[in-house]
């Protein structure tokens, strides 16, 4: 794992652990839901193992959050797009033409 991966999976594991505790599940109970061992679940929460992406939708549904929220992607509002710079220049040139 790269350094960036280590940081990401450690943060993901901590987030999963806190969500698990909020819904009053033990590591063993969550591991059974996911079909893995408690030791494997503990390794995920500690950030020592990569969480398989196939488990993310199950976890998101269990915790009633989006996958984006689960992995820590901030909800960004879509930015308004204006005319492209080239199009804007052309519009300005047209507006300067004599009537």
């Amino acid at each position: 794992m790269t350094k960036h991966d280590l940081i990401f999976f450690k943060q993901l594991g901590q987030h999963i652990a806190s969500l698990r505790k909020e819904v009053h599940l033990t590591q063993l109970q969550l591991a059974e839901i996911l079909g893995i061992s408690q030791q494997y679940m503990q390794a995920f929460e500690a950030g020592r193992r990569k969480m398989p992406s196939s488990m993310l939708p199950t976890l998101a549904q269990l915790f009633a959050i989006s996958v984006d929220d689960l992995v820590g992607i901030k909800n960004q509002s879509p930015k308004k797009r204006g005319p492209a710079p080239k199009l804007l220049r052309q519009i300005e040139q047209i507006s300067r033409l004599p009537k």
Side-chain angles (χ1 to χ4, degrees), residues 1 4-22 25-27 30 34 36 39-52 55-56 59 63 65 67 69-72:
M1 271 196 272
H4 181 69
D5 286 346
L6 290 171
I7 293 168
F8 172 79
F9 284 106
K10 188 165 185 88
Q11 289 173 344
L12 177 61
Q14 290 170 347
H15 191 210
I16 290 170
S18 68
L19 290 168
R20 174 183 59 78
K21 291 171 187 175
E22 283 179 22
L25 286 175
T26 64
Q27 279 185 345
L30 183 55
L34 296 173
I36 59 175
Q39 292 82 5
Y40 205 49
M41 186 70 237
Q42 195 279 331
F44 287 148
E45 288 186 1
R48 291 191 311 269
R49 291 206 169 247
K50 290 184 177 184
M51 172 72 58
M55 289 184 185
L56 298 178
L59 288 167
F63 299 133
I65 60 174
V67 174
D69 289 339
L70 182 65
V71 298

